[in-house]
Amino acid sequence: MQKKLIAIVVVAIVAVSAIIAGWQLTQVPSSEAESEARSIKIGLVACYEKAEGQDMDRAAKMAVQEINDAGGVYVAEWDTNVDIELVIVDTEDDSTGKAVSPVTRAVLEDEVDLLIGGYTSSGTLADQVVAIENRVPYIITGASSSLVTRRGPQGNYGGLAEDNQLRIEDEEGMSYMFHYCTTTADYSKTVVNFFAESMKPLLDSTYEFNASRNLRLAILYRDDAFGKGVKDDSKAIIASENLPIDVVAERAYPATATNFQTDLTAIKDAKPDAVYVVDFIAGTSEIIKQGQRDVGLNTVYIAVECCEDPQLYTLLGEYGEGQLLESKFAPYAGPPFYLSAIETYVTDYQEKYATLPGMMGADTYDAFYIAKDAIERAGTVDKAAVRDAIESSAIDQMLIMTETGKVEFSTGVNYHEIAPVTFVEQLVWNEDVGECRSVIVYPDTAPGVGTLKQADFVLPAGYQSGSP
Amino acid sequence: MQKMFANLFGSIGRELLSFYRSEKFYFVLGAMAIGAIIPLFVSDYVVGEVLTPMIIFTIYASSWNLLAYSGQGSLGHAAFLGIGGFASALLAIKLGVPPIFCLFLGSLFSAAIGLLIGLACVRLKAWFLAMVTFGFSVIIVTLISQFDTVIGGIMGFPTPLLVERGLAFYYMTFALATTSIFTMYLLMKSKMGLAFRAIHENELEAKMIGINTAKYRLLAFVLSTFFAGLAGGLYAQSIRYIQVSVFDAYYSFLPLMMVVIGGLRTMEGPIIGSVIIISIESYLPRIDPIMQGLMGPLFPSVSNVGPPLRMLSLGLFLVIVVIFFPKGVSSLLHKIHNYFREETKKANNIERK
Amino acid sequence: MSGLVETLLWGVVNGCIYILLATGLNIIFGVMKLVNFAHGQLLMIGAYVAFTAATVFGLNAYLSILVAIVTIALIGAGLERLTFRRVLGTDKLNEIFVSLGLIYVFENVAVLLWGNKLKQITSPFQGLGLSLGEVSISYDLLLAISVVTVILIALFILMKKTKIGLAMRATSQRSDTSMLMGVNIEKVYIFTFALGAALAGAAGALYGIIFPFNPSIGALPTIKAFAIIMLGGLGSIPGAIIGGLLYGIAENTAVYFLGGIWQDAIAFALLIIVLVIRPTGLFGEKGE
């Protein structure tokens, strides 16, 4: 009996091995030189559980279809036009356990030529490692932490301590990372400067405050890298630029929280003039609603740009009236828009999807065009050449405004960031639509565009300032 | 020759001997052979993202199973998975401990915490223990977040590797898994294992025959958390990053699902369960686009029906297994094996006649 | 500090919801010696059912509570019959496993049917309330507390004055003796589970009026309800009431002073402390 068993087991092992070996042999590994033309595979790294991820998906599909319909991408090496094939890399909730695996599959199994996307900072910091090691160009359109491009030698390790494991030594690998997004420092700077330059004078004149009275700011943030990053950066900028702002309250809550009444009540006790809400759409909309409806904290709230999405306006409803949103892409501030490219994009997106686009999708959309331009200039899909081409991008700005009016990845500096222009919008109730729409209130101008401001900032109806 | 073996190693020898003679030996040998050979025939991706996690979660599930032998069902085992991961990574980074010792020390640390929690838990009834362990997995996230400047768990950080990724890492994990499971097997065959089973079956009677139930339950706790910590250290190296999301409830429920589906309180259960669940999680997502096309219109509120349908099925699977196959897939396999054995016997009998 | 007063009020409201949940759990455990970890999911489904009643059928938010109660009671009865009855009497851990599977089932059914986005039931009194000096008290909060009080009184009458209540109490004392006295144990079990579920459904509907909800909100309240039962003593309804109130207040006060990140951890820290000091809970186990 035992002999029979051994025999069966051995045969089984041999059979299984043979099948697997045979199957493996049929998988022809990709050759070094791509002599045959084929479609370009671009992986979209997005978290489909969230509205922002779905927006990125729609924008990506629209970009790919537009490019393919217009003839695709011309690759000189093959002397022909080829299509872009979109590979979906769904990181579910973007926790590190769920983010790394899909990206690994995309890089090793699907063998993508390029990656676009990224959502949270911690998720991206984890999943970009696969791209770095395998030298896959990654245009990161989410993740507000500057570490995604600065964590290597060329970025001076982003100021990380020597024993901090987030440091990466692979200078070559890091050169494949591109950050097409704003960092927490970028937009916090705009926000606090708005408070100092625009809101404080208004408060002083309306309430006859002493000019030496600092604006009372409360920061309510989600307890993760994103929230803390904004809080720390804001405080640092206030200090370094000597702005007349006091942070009278700073409160953190777990990222999964949905009930903010008690935190808001505590903030109410601190009597702030304004509240900086650092969270994604779900949390932000609840905070703004609960603050006004349930707690009676009738102040002005300012949200972060990742909330720039139709869902925010829908969720806020009338509670959005008078509230603020820092942004770099405003599909609701018009028509007429501050940038003609936005008009086209919004119209096309709306026609195709019956909803308005959000900000993360806009970044993503641009990124596909950046990739197309780079591949065409490189003339090949060889990743190193494409990387070089992206680095030397100098196309005109598209949906996202930059300081120079062109898409340039920090020429002269070795880590790849753009210099985006961010602004502050105020939400205004629109009776016809049954929702709020926005107008840009700060700053007055932008380098590539001219006049940016569309209206003056006003205090919301029912606004109560902090204590004198 | 065999007698010398037995004399030299006493009861361990006896155990190994009886194992060698049993049928199980060939199955185990076969399984190990497959496990050792398969990586050579599949792509790097499969080795790193499918096979290695299967092995790591086998250790993790087995650790949970070990605890279950003593009648204790933890709902917060992720706490120890994470503690093991953070401890082994931090030991290497902050204290410069040589990589060889990190995993082991990390597991010891996890076991130490397990001892503390165990002290609170061992006198509790099953459901209270489940709740307290779950509570612990929630608190530990807050605790680690409070020490973020030292630990850096909120943003997370890359883990230093003991061995290079790929085949080397797989074989190291495989070796550790084999050792761990074999150790657990020997433990369960020993007096301690008997005590565990006695306590699980009837705690009152166990006490009456003089077994110190609290002591043995605590022992089970410590051993279980040791191996969970080991799995954690390996897991952190396998995904090359450690972050507080490792404490999510998902990671607490995984070993439970694997063990119950595979076969509760059997040695092979955790292995079977790990293979099944990891396969589902690795390969089923590929049919998501098809599912979306088929069933998307039925559920307009969701943009990707794949993940919820998958989790729903797992939940249903678990409920059905518990109600109809309390001994899990493993019992099914035994039935199949017995069926073949009966058929062979009949065939042999017919032959002789 | 007006904020503290308001926080205490929120604490009481939270506590009321916890009371309903914990009482339901306590009744089920007291009578059936059964542990259902998916109890919080019944709360979650209750919120969604009330939401559907209010939005699709246009019912008043507070009437929707009744719809939720009835629906969840039926679901509870179904659960008992189909799943829990079959594992009652087997390995104690099996109840935990079944509950866990049910958690995944309920949560994902909710995701598929209603999606992941936060929803809330619009109350006719939304945004309205009393103002006592600097303190503002919303009508919804007061109504919630009243509703819970009414339910508890009804429960008390049920348990003390009706035949089924008597049967339930008898079964919780000695199920074998009750059987000998002619009590139909199966009927009692189904009714008990349905009752416990109904309470959870009511808690869910109330929750849905005051707070936003999504499919994941059921997980933590279950654990907190268990903790309250331990604090208040297994099987003791007065214990659950006091424990629930204390818990809600403690949780909110902790958040007020220490910040939102401590909300869930405080709950467990409290639990572990109580367990260590007094393993039978603050009020002790109800005598058999």
Side-chain angles (χ1 to χ4, degrees):
Chain A
M1 177 56 204
Q2 282 185 346
K3 281 186 199 157
K4 262 208 187 127
L5 209 52
I6 302 176
I8 296 175
V9 167
V10 169
V11 168
I13 295 177
V14 172
V16 167
S17 312
I19 295 173
I20 294 177
W23 180 68
Q24 277 295 295
L25 283 173
T26 64
Q27 309 288 311
V28 180
S30 45
S31 44
E32 291 296 332
E34 304 267 14
S35 50
E36 287 228 356
R38 56 159 177 82
S39 57
I40 299 169
K41 292 196 199 166
I42 300 187
L44 173 70
V45 184
C47 104
Y48 281 70
E49 267 183 24
K50 305 274 158 94
E52 296 90 332
Q54 294 158 27
D55 178 37
M56 288 165 80
D57 172 72
R58 290 192 284 261
K61 290 186 173 143
M62 192 163 105
V64 170
Q65 180 156 38
E66 278 176 14
I67 294 176
N68 288 347
D69 285 347
V73 183
Y74 177 70
V75 182
E77 188 182 33
W78 302 325
D79 194 27
T80 179
N81 279 31
V82 290
D83 276 357
I84 296 182
E85 183 191 322
L86 187 63
V87 177
I88 308 282
V89 187
D90 181 359
T91 57
E92 290 183 50
D93 62 4
D94 218 41
S95 61
T96 46
K98 300 266 172 74
V100 177
S101 207
V103 176
T104 311
R105 186 188 324 142
V107 168
L108 293 181
E109 289 250 298
D110 299 315
E111 291 178 336
V112 293
D113 295 304
L114 204 121
L115 286 168
I116 292 180
Y119 180 62
T120 62
S121 298
S122 50
T124 311
L125 283 169
D127 66 43
Q128 72 174 164
V129 176
V130 186
I132 293 171
E133 287 181 351
N134 288 281
R135 310 287 193 255
V136 178
Y138 190 175
I139 305 181
I140 298 168
T141 55
S144 51
S145 166
S146 54
L147 286 175
V148 297
T149 46
R150 295 200 203 180
R151 67 198 285 199
Q154 61 263 63
N156 206 13
Y157 306 105
L160 293 169
E162 253 202 66
D163 64 346
N164 193 321
Q165 285 293 295
L166 282 171
R167 281 183 164 215
I168 288 192
E169 295 299 334
D170 185 354
E171 186 165 353
E172 170 74 15
M174 280 306 297
S175 70
Y176 285 78
M177 300 294 111
F178 296 88
H179 202 186
Y180 190 67
C181 188
T182 23
T183 60
T184 54
D186 289 332
Y187 51 73
S188 299
K189 186 171 159 130
T190 304
V191 168
V192 297
N193 275 295
F194 161 79
F195 282 129
E197 289 174 31
S198 208
M199 182 164 179
K200 175 166 152 52
L202 183 60
L203 275 183
D204 289 347
S205 63
T206 314
Y207 293 93
E208 285 168 21
F209 288 143
N210 203 314
S212 60
R213 173 193 185 276
N214 285 348
L215 186 140
R216 301 170 68 87
L217 181 64
I219 307 182
L220 181 56
Y221 60 100
R222 67 187 260 148
D223 192 34
D224 65 3
F226 165 45
K228 287 176 149 189
V230 172
K231 182 221 9 153
D232 291 335
D233 282 340
S234 304
K235 290 173 75 176
I237 297 172
I238 293 174
S240 69
E241 293 188 18
N242 259 315
L243 297 175
I245 301 177
D246 285 334
V247 177
V248 298
E250 42 180 275
R251 295 184 68 95
Y253 53 85
T256 50
T258 51
N259 301 337
F260 305 96
Q261 289 91 351
T262 310
D263 275 314
L264 286 163
T265 308
I267 288 185
K268 191 165 92 155
D269 274 354
K271 299 200 195 322
D273 292 325
V275 179
Y276 191 177
V277 182
V278 190
D279 200 344
F280 296 104
I281 297 173
T284 303
S285 60
E286 281 305 316
I287 288 175
I288 298 182
K289 273 196 293 197
Q290 289 174 13
Q292 296 172 72
R293 182 192 65 199
D294 298 337
V295 175
L297 179 55
N298 298 319
T299 178
V300 70
Y301 299 84
I302 184 163
V304 179
E305 60 178 43
C306 51
C307 295
E308 177 71 82
D309 184 281
Q311 268 211 31
L312 180 74
Y313 296 84
T314 315
L315 288 171
L316 279 179
E318 61 209 8
Y319 290 103
E321 161 92 77
Q323 305 308 327
L324 299 164
L325 177 58
E326 171 270 319
S327 177
K328 64 179 192 286
F329 168 74
Y332 279 106
F337 293 99
Y338 51 96
L339 209 55
S340 56
I342 297 192
E343 174 109 42
T344 327
Y345 177 68
V346 171
T347 318
D348 291 342
Y349 191 105
Q350 203 161 7
E351 234 182 76
K352 201 167 147 110
Y353 299 112
T355 179
L356 282 157
M359 191 203 65
M360 296 205 67
D363 281 308
T364 308
Y365 179 88
D366 279 0
F368 277 89
Y369 278 94
I370 296 174
K372 167 180 185 287
D373 167 72
I375 295 175
E376 287 184 336
R377 276 184 298 115
T380 168
V381 291
D382 171 61
K383 300 186 177 72
V386 171
R387 181 261 329 253
D388 290 336
I390 303 179
E391 195 172 70
S392 55
S393 291
I395 48 180
D396 288 332
Q397 65 189 13
M398 294 171 280
L399 296 173
I400 307 296
M401 293 185 292
T402 61
E403 297 278 341
T404 58
K406 293 202 180 287
V407 175
E408 289 167 321
F409 287 97
S410 314
T411 34
V413 184
N414 278 331
Y415 52 86
H416 304 130
E417 290 175 0
I418 53 168
V421 168
T422 53
F423 48 82
V424 176
E425 314 165 275
Q426 185 161 33
L427 272 60
V428 181
W429 177 255
N430 184 323
E431 196 58 55
D432 304 325
V433 190
E435 271 183 14
C436 283
R437 289 296 178 258
S438 55
V439 287
I440 300 179
V441 295
Y442 174 90
D444 292 337
T445 60
V449 165
T451 313
L452 193 56
K453 181 162 149 177
Q454 295 170 326
D456 284 326
F457 165 67
V458 294
L459 296 171
Y463 172 81
Q464 289 166 321
S465 70
S467 68
Chain B
M1 181 65 201
Q2 288 174 344
K3 273 199 184 142
M4 232 168 62
F5 199 77
N7 285 336
L8 273 169
F9 294 101
S11 60
I12 296 183
R14 266 195 293 276
E15 283 313 325
L16 287 173
L17 202 59
S18 78
F19 180 67
Y20 172 68
R21 282 196 184 128
S22 72
E23 259 184 358
K24 277 189 262 179
F25 179 67
Y26 295 97
F27 279 115
V28 171
L29 205 62
M32 285 182 62
I34 296 181
I37 296 180
I38 277 198
L40 302 172
F41 294 101
V42 294
S43 69
D44 282 339
Y45 167 73
V46 175
V47 171
E49 300 298 313
V50 180
L51 296 177
T52 310
M54 273 185 195
I55 308 287
I56 296 178
F57 280 97
T58 302
I59 303 179
Y60 184 41
S62 298
S63 80
W64 191 91
N65 192 30
L66 188 65
L67 193 60
Y69 268 114
S70 65
Q72 305 179 87
S74 151
L75 285 188
H77 238 48
F80 302 101
L81 185 76
I83 289 179
F86 272 105
S88 61
L90 287 171
L91 279 170
I93 298 171
K94 301 275 180 184
L95 298 181
V97 175
I100 312 201
F101 299 119
C102 281
L103 276 175
F104 184 66
L105 288 174
S107 316
L108 272 182
F109 185 74
S110 172
I113 306 288
L115 178 68
L116 287 174
I117 300 298
L119 282 170
C121 285
V122 289
R123 290 175 214 275
L124 299 177
K125 292 236 164 52
W127 43 89
F128 290 139
L129 180 123
M131 195 180 55
V132 169
T133 45
F134 184 81
F136 178 58
S137 72
V138 171
I139 301 188
I140 194 140
V141 174
T142 315
L143 283 176
I144 291 211
S145 304
Q146 289 303 100
F147 291 102
D148 201 45
T149 37
V150 179
I151 301 183
I154 299 183
M155 177 89 101
F157 53 87
T159 48
L161 299 177
L162 189 56
V163 216
E164 266 315 303
R165 287 199 96 195
L167 282 177
F169 187 68
Y170 174 83
Y171 284 116
M172 175 184 84
T173 318
F174 188 68
L176 284 169
T178 330
T179 324
S180 306
I181 296 179
F182 207 59
T183 313
M184 291 190 219
Y185 173 74
L186 289 173
L187 285 170
M188 284 313 296
K189 283 275 184 180
S190 74
K191 202 173 79 173
M192 179 159 61
L194 274 175
F196 286 173
R197 276 187 247 258
I199 295 172
H200 160 65
E201 271 174 43
N202 194 324
E203 195 169 346
L204 201 56
E205 274 183 23
K207 277 193 192 150
M208 277 171 23
I209 53 174
I211 297 181
N212 184 342
T213 54
K215 177 179 112 176
Y216 280 103
R217 288 174 121 211
L218 192 59
L219 208 52
F221 220 93
V222 171
L223 287 166
S224 169
T225 52
F226 175 84
F227 287 110
L230 177 64
L234 289 168
Y235 178 70
Q237 293 198 15
S238 126
I239 57 166
R240 322 205 26 207
Y241 208 82
I242 186 95
Q243 199 241 351
V244 289
S245 58
V246 74
F247 295 110
D248 282 353
Y250 173 72
Y251 293 104
S252 284
F253 297 164
L254 263 185
L256 192 150
M257 269 202 266
M258 290 175 176
V259 170
V260 174
I261 289 177
L264 185 59
R265 298 192 195 97
T266 63
M267 277 289 129
E268 64 272 19
I271 305 175
I272 298 174
S274 175
V275 170
I276 293 179
I277 304 244
I278 301 277
S279 306
I280 291 178
E281 291 286 284
S282 301
Y283 292 108
L284 225 48
R286 294 182 189 204
I287 65 167
D288 278 353
I290 304 175
M291 293 302 282
Q292 183 58 30
L294 266 173
M295 312 199 67
L298 282 176
F299 303 113
S301 311
V302 205
S303 59
N304 188 359
V305 292
L309 274 177
R310 216 169 31 248
M311 295 311 292
L312 174 61
S313 313
L314 269 178
L316 273 174
F317 195 11
L318 182 61
V319 175
I320 291 174
V321 164
V322 175
I323 296 180
F324 297 110
F325 300 101
K327 299 256 193 294
V329 171
S330 148
S331 68
L332 255 161
L333 292 177
H334 276 276
K335 283 191 187 143
I336 297 177
H337 170 61
N338 284 339
Y339 176 77
F340 279 116
R341 191 204 277 172
E342 290 305 313
E343 291 303 296
T344 324
K345 261 196 205 151
K346 282 186 200 157
N348 284 342
N349 284 340
I350 294 173
E351 265 175 34
R352 283 196 206 118
K353 286 183 183 155
Chain C
M1 291 230 264
S2 66
L4 193 52
V5 175
E6 289 176 17
T7 304
L8 285 172
L9 185 64
W10 283 104
V12 170
V13 171
N14 263 311
C16 286
I17 294 179
Y18 287 144
I19 290 175
L20 284 184
L21 208 59
T23 309
L25 215 50
N26 234 343
I27 291 177
I28 296 177
F29 181 79
V31 175
M32 300 171 70
K33 304 287 175 285
L34 176 81
V35 149
N36 174 18
F37 276 97
H39 200 69
Q41 272 61 36
L42 291 172
L43 179 154
M44 180 265 293
I45 300 279
Y48 275 105
V49 167
F51 175 79
T52 311
T55 47
V56 174
F57 299 108
L59 268 182
N60 176 293
Y62 286 91
L63 285 178
S64 309
I65 301 181
L66 290 169
V67 176
I69 290 181
V70 172
T71 318
I72 306 300
L74 288 171
I75 294 181
L79 268 187
E80 198 275 334
R81 209 83 228 291
L82 291 172
T83 57
F84 284 106
R85 177 169 306 181
R86 295 183 206 241
V87 293
L88 214 52
T90 62
D91 191 344
K92 260 301 160 202
L93 290 183
N94 283 346
E95 289 160 17
I96 298 179
F97 300 151
V98 167
S99 311
L100 221 65
L102 287 174
I103 291 179
Y104 276 102
V105 170
F106 280 126
E107 274 193 16
N108 286 287
V109 164
V111 169
L112 286 169
L113 290 178
W114 289 288
N116 255 316
K117 290 188 226 168
L118 285 169
K119 298 202 184 330
Q120 193 162 350
I121 305 172
T122 327
S123 148
F125 306 107
Q126 195 179 74
L128 301 171
L130 302 171
S131 289
L132 306 174
E134 281 205 349
V135 177
S136 53
I137 306 180
S138 130
Y139 285 137
D140 285 318
L141 298 185
L142 296 173
L143 264 170
I145 300 179
S146 321
V147 168
V148 173
T149 317
V150 167
I151 293 179
L152 287 174
I153 295 177
L155 189 66
F156 178 77
I157 297 176
L158 181 89
M159 297 297 282
K160 294 280 190 214
K161 310 276 185 190
T162 65
K163 224 165 46 168
I164 187 81
L166 184 62
M168 282 167 65
R169 282 185 291 134
T171 316
S172 76
Q173 303 267 17
R174 292 295 306 241
S175 57
D176 37 7
T177 321
S178 322
M179 258 201 292
L180 286 173
M181 305 290 273
V183 173
N184 183 340
I185 292 288
E186 307 230 318
K187 225 172 65 167
V188 171
Y189 280 177
I190 289 196
F191 186 82
T192 307
F193 207 94
L195 180 63
L199 287 168
L206 277 174
Y207 186 98
I209 296 176
I210 303 175
F211 301 111
F213 58 91
N214 62 21
S216 339
I217 52 131
L220 283 169
T222 312
I223 307 289
K224 296 179 187 179
F226 272 109
I228 292 170
I229 295 182
M230 291 188 66
L231 274 177
L234 267 175
S236 154
I237 297 194
I241 295 179
I242 300 185
L245 278 176
L246 278 180
Y247 218 80
I249 294 177
E251 206 178 58
N252 276 282
T253 325
V255 170
Y256 181 83
F257 286 114
L258 300 172
I261 29 176
W262 280 100
Q263 178 172 26
D264 301 322
I266 283 285
F268 299 115
L270 263 178
L271 173 66
I272 294 192
I273 294 175
V274 170
L275 271 179
V276 169
I277 301 177
R278 215 187 128 94
T280 51
L282 284 176
F283 294 87
E285 260 185 60
K286 191 163 180 192
E288 290 270 273

